Amino acid sequence: MRLSANWKLVFSTICRAFISPNACATMPAENTGPEQNGLVDNDQNRALLLAFGYPVVEEFLARRVRAAQIASVARLTPVIVLANVVNALVVMPVFMNFVPLSYLTVWLIGLGCLMSFTVVKWISTRRDPVETASRRALEKAVRHATVLSLLWAVVPIVAFASGDPNGIWISSCITTGMICGGGFAMATVPQAAFRWVTILYAASVISLLFDQSASMWPLLFLLTSYSIVVVGSVTAAGWLFASHFLAEAELKQRGELIALLMNEFEEKSSDWIWETDSAGNFRNISERFLHASGRTRSELEAMRMVDLAYSLNNSDAREVVRTLQKEISLQKSFREVVIGVSVNGEDRWWSLAARPVYDDHGSFTGYRGVASDVTETRRANALIAHLAEHDSLTGIGNRSWFLKQAELMRSEQFKSKQNTLTLFLIDLDNFKVVNDTSGHPAGDELLKQVANRFTAIGEGRISLARFGGDEFAALGHFVSDQAASAFAQELVNITRKPFRISNRDFAIGATVGFTRFLDRTDTVDDLMRKADIALYKAKESGRGRALAFESDMEREVRERRELESDLREAFEYGKLSVEFQPIVDTRSGKVVSSEVLVRWYHPTRGEVPPNTFIPIAEQAGLILPLGSWVLKRACSTAAQCPDLESVAMNLSPVQFMDPNLVESVSSVLEETGFPAERLVLEITESVFLRDLGSASEKLQKLRDLGIKISLDDFGTGYSSLSYLRQYKFDKIKIDKSFVDEIGDRSDGLAIISAVIALAHNLGLEVTAEGVERQFQVDALKALGCDTLQGYFFGRPDANPANITRIDNSDWHSENSGRRADESVPARSAS
């Protein structure tokens, strides 16, 4: 025990014990003093504080420590009483010479009563030993020491005050002995020992003050040094006592824990102890071992552990037998050797741990070990491993498993020096429609059926996996491009057949992109990337087909990514612009409206048309901020040109799907001050395919603001007439493809005439776009088209005021001299 372990704590604890011995014993656990904060987690510090009565351990243990402290002092009761009696017998004859007999008698009676009380308490504790003690019991011990020390403190004071040489000499010897003896006798209760030493030391100092001789100071110095030594020794003794008690308590607790664990181990049905002799045969076979093995005692006594391991005819089990034989032959300890055992026809797995046993002469006598049945754990681990590598819905491999298989098959191809490995990525078409219309359970069932079909046609040829959602992947060896293409087409064809789910038939289809491993420098990631590029191109060209990767595709993707990066930079640094294309009234020939066109002039590519960069913006997630910027710029610019009756702007399908579309448009109108009645939003029927559920509600909210809605590219979709019945529009725009056919095909003119008549009957205004020839203008005017739009009426301009100055004579005279075969640029959509 080192008193210097934490001298600040030791010093403060001793000081507290001197000032108020009972304060620490009665102090609550949550207020143990600032010096203890962060220190009681140290075992030595805890022992020190516990010795002085601080509540640094649980109350039950603290009560046991207090009882042990008091009992340690009580064991010395006979010696203490005898010492007090002897000292009293020595004091009496000497003090009778200068102390009145009556005073001496009172002192003797007080001492006798205290000693009698001490003996009675000692006898009672011997009959009924105290196991626990409260803080009050510790306080009583301190008070007992205080009273006894006060009785003996009278002796030196009276002797020195009388000046009797014999009395002084006797009292000095007795006081010095009592300071040392009493301090050590009560060392296990430091508070009591300190009170004892303090009172006797104070009495001795007072006594020395009566003596004015020069010898007083050396005696005072010696007395002080002795008292300090006693205090330090008492502290160390009490500290050591508490440390030993804590150590014994911890050992006892550990013993109880070990016993509990052993009992728990004995109660487990899947664990047992096994022993063998030097030949390896079982001995001392327990009932639990018999039950676990499913064999009789005589059968086990004739067997070895290796024989049990051979009982399971399993490749994994037989592989472990060799490991077990090797460990046993080396006569060394082993652990976690898992063997397979056949128990009553059931496959079981045991985990073995054992150590060799030697006799007194060092000769090997066999093995003693523990066996545990880990069958359920092994099955659970196998299930976890299966789930980690397989799709939980379809049962086929998952992405992680597929990538491992791809890496393994790639390595094998390197060794065989062949180029047959082919990777397929499969994306189901229209799968979202099944989920949206019939719910996720139907979608899950569809995925299972798809996986079953893919497994059936690819059995023995491919490794199949589901990457998540409606994405699948396949990997196999195909001797030629034709063979790979044929299998990819099989994947497409098998999904075209209807799927029967809950008495309903669903037709979906699939798109496949694939690549062959021809470049030996390609990694699995390279194959995945190339197949993904082919899949993307197949989707882009119409879905429902299989497409092989070609090097040109990668170049296109790279250029597309570069263009996306340039577009982000152009948008961020304000390199995009907005222009207004005139829309003229066929009756007056004046510009009454305009369509907003966004323009991008690339520093190296030149003008990039919107039909090139708008799809990139949609896929890159840039269309929402870009659309908001275009709308804000157009509204703020057009607000300065009141001559324009309206301004039309195209809405991308992605913009229309934005749940905050109405709020965003309303905010721009409010910010720019542009009247909602002058804004026309143009949408195509593709928005209804993407956002069927909320389209009607959004359109109505926009119309409630005063905004006009125009159906763009009318006639190019599949069901435009049904949209006219289902939704409310203000205008429709005849697609440029029909205008181009004027003069070439009579049916085109008939369609335009029918559309205009239909629109007028529904109260809708009609605009023809892409007008580029005089005869087109004449034909459309004759058919009753309301407004016309196209390059025939002038180029788009960044200032809307410029396009309003064009009138009938301007555009008629400007374009009437054009040759009929002159090439005029087509309109670019925003």
Side-chain angles (χ1 to χ4, degrees), residues 180-407:
C180 297
F184 288 122
M186 291 180 283
T188 57
V189 187
Q191 304 97 307
F194 285 179
R195 179 63 62 86
W196 173 270
V197 173
T198 300
I199 293 175
L200 291 180
Y201 173 78
S204 300
V205 171
I206 294 172
S207 302
L208 290 175
L209 292 177
F210 288 108
D211 187 1
Q212 300 299 324
S213 64
S215 61
M216 179 194 69
W217 297 108
L219 290 175
L220 182 61
F221 174 77
L222 290 174
L223 180 65
T224 302
S225 63
Y226 292 158
S227 299
I228 292 175
V229 170
V230 171
V231 168
S233 300
V234 167
T235 302
W239 193 351
L240 187 62
F241 178 84
S243 297
H244 287 171
F245 197 92
L246 284 179
E248 290 178 1
E250 184 176 358
L251 287 175
K252 183 178 180 181
Q253 185 178 13
R254 289 182 179 179
E256 293 174 351
L257 179 60
I258 291 173
L260 179 64
L261 292 176
M262 288 298 295
N263 290 336
E264 183 180 356
F265 174 79
E266 289 296 331
E267 292 174 0
K268 281 188 176 180
S269 60
S270 60
D271 299 84
W272 60 92
I273 297 174
W274 58 276
E275 295 182 43
T276 68
D277 55 22
S278 57
N281 294 321
F282 292 118
R283 65 181 183 184
N284 299 328
I285 300 170
S286 65
E287 292 297 327
R288 191 168 292 115
F289 190 3
L290 287 174
H291 176 74
S293 67
R295 291 166 172 80
T296 64
R297 187 178 300 275
S298 59
E299 287 176 330
L300 279 183
E301 288 176 346
M303 300 180 71
R304 301 171 301 162
M305 187 62 78
V306 173
D307 300 328
L308 283 177
Y310 264 118
S311 64
L312 182 59
N313 187 13
N314 179 289
S315 58
D316 292 340
R318 292 297 171 88
E319 184 68 26
V320 179
V321 172
R322 288 190 287 270
T323 303
L324 179 62
Q325 286 179 318
K326 181 180 178 181
E327 296 289 348
I328 292 177
S329 64
L330 294 175
Q331 297 183 1
K332 291 183 178 180
S333 299
F334 60 86
R335 62 194 303 268
E336 295 183 359
V337 175
V338 180
I339 66 171
V341 181
S342 178
V343 179
N344 298 326
E346 182 184 2
D347 294 352
R348 308 297 296 181
W349 296 89
W350 295 354
S351 177
L352 305 179
R355 62 179 181 83
V357 179
Y358 299 92
D359 58 18
D360 295 338
H361 303 289
S363 300
F364 174 72
T365 60
Y367 268 98
R368 180 179 294 118
V370 177
S372 175
D373 191 316
V374 294
T375 306
E376 299 305 323
T377 302
R378 186 181 177 91
R379 290 173 180 170
N381 291 337
L383 178 60
I384 292 172
H386 177 83
L387 293 176
E389 294 187 341
H390 289 77
D391 178 49
S392 59
L393 177 64
T394 62
I396 62 177
N398 59 15
R399 186 186 188 93
S400 175
W401 172 84
F402 184 82
L403 295 178
K404 292 178 183 177
Q405 287 293 110
E407 192 64 49

Side-chain angles (χ1 to χ4, degrees), residues 775-829:
F775 66 86
Q776 294 173 339
V777 175
D778 296 338
L780 291 168
K781 288 178 64 176
L783 292 174
C785 188
D786 300 299
T787 54
L788 305 177
Q789 174 185 346
Y791 277 101
F792 184 81
F793 307 103
R795 309 285 295 185
D797 197 294
N799 187 354
N802 292 336
I803 66 173
T804 60
R805 300 190 183 102
I806 302 174
D807 57 25
N808 188 7
S809 59
D810 291 335
W811 53 259
H812 187 275
S813 61
E814 177 184 346
N815 296 285
S816 60
R818 281 183 178 163
R819 300 191 309 273
D821 60 346
E822 181 181 358
S823 175
V824 180
R827 179 184 71 86
S828 298

Side-chain angles (χ1 to χ4, degrees), residues 688-699:
F688 304 114
L689 297 176
R690 298 193 185 191
D691 199 9
L692 183 62
S694 60
S696 180
E697 182 181 353
K698 285 182 181 178
L699 290 177

Side-chain angles (χ1 to χ4, degrees), residues 61-108:
L61 181 58
R63 293 174 69 89
R64 291 183 58 194
V65 171
R66 288 192 289 266
Q69 288 177 303
I70 296 172
S72 179
V73 177
R75 280 194 292 269
L76 297 176
T77 297
V79 177
I80 294 173
V81 172
L82 179 62
N84 278 269
V85 171
V86 170
N87 290 340
L89 293 176
V90 172
V91 167
M92 282 179 56
V94 176
F95 275 49
M96 289 177 63
N97 297 326
F98 55 86
V99 176
L101 184 59
S102 58
Y103 291 169
L104 191 59
T105 301
V106 171
W107 180 81
L108 287 173

Side-chain angles (χ1 to χ4, degrees), residues 581-583 595 597 650 682-684 710-716 732-742 752 766-772 776 780 785 787-793 826-830:
Q581 185 177 36
I583 300 176
E595 180 175 358
L597 305 177
N650 285 325
E682 298 181 354
I683 60 175
T684 61
S710 175
L711 182 60
D712 198 8
D713 299 335
F714 183 81
T716 59
I732 61 173
K733 295 185 76 172
I734 299 175
D735 187 66
K736 180 182 182 297
S737 61
F738 293 103
V739 176
D740 289 340
E741 293 178 353
I742 296 177
I752 294 176
V766 181
T767 300
E769 57 182 352
V771 179
E772 299 172 355
Q776 294 173 339
L780 291 168
C785 188
T787 54
L788 305 177
Q789 174 185 346
Y791 277 101
F792 184 81
F793 307 103
R827 179 184 71 86
S828 298
S830 63

